[in-house]
Amino acid sequence: QVQLAESGGGLVQAGGSLRLSCATSRIAFSFNTMGWYRQAPGKQRELVTAITPGGSTNYADSVKGRFTISRDSTKNTVYLQMNNLKPEDTAVYYCAAGLGPLSTQVRSWGQGTQVTVSS
């Protein structure tokens, strides 16, 4: 089980920005694909973005051009920079890690952090 420690999130007005962080161990960081899912009330959890150990990224269509995922190997931390936030981005965001594609192979979850975007 990989330990994931999330931070960030909060309340922001539409058009604003937030940054989420997800820290883990050095070994987990080196070998796991990491990313974020989100779950809005009454909706299924959806994959937002992921980054492989080699730095390849993918994004949900709904966040392309607004969200950026990045890795900092000196801190064993993955970041999600969210710009131009919209009310529909409101959800609990969960950091996730896995040894394969995060769309199918999540093995560890963070505790979740609330992101609320007001209109």
Side-chain angles (χ1 to χ4, degrees):
Q1 187 78 3
V2 173
Q3 298 298 314
L4 303 172
E6 296 183 41
S7 60
L11 173 64
V12 66
Q13 289 188 331
S17 299
L18 286 172
R19 189 177 79 160
L20 306 182
S21 302
C22 180
T24 189
S25 68
R26 181 179 60 82
I27 291 178
F29 184 82
S30 296
F31 291 100
N32 280 265
T33 293
M34 296 179 65
W36 270 270
Y37 277 76
R38 68 185 180 186
Q39 187 166 21
K43 295 188 177 181
Q44 287 190 329
R45 194 172 293 192
E46 63 172 350
L47 179 61
V48 177
T49 181
I51 187 167
T52 68
S56 296
T57 60
N58 62 71
Y59 296 91
D61 288 343
S62 59
V63 306
K64 283 180 180 177
R66 301 188 297 121
F67 289 13
T68 303
I69 190 170
S70 60
R71 293 164 55 94
D72 185 340
S73 60
T74 65
K75 298 181 179 179
N76 301 322
T77 299
V78 173
Y79 300 99
L80 177 61
Q81 179 65 43
M82 304 183 291
N83 297 329
N84 190 22
L85 283 160
K86 303 177 181 180
E88 51 264 43
D89 294 318
T90 295
V92 178
Y93 284 69
Y94 296 91
C95 183
L99 293 176
L102 280 189
S103 56
T104 57
Q105 299 186 34
V106 175
R107 67 170 182 163
S108 297
W109 295 96
Q111 76 277 14
T113 185
Q114 178 70 45
V115 171
T116 303
V117 184
S118 63
S119 57

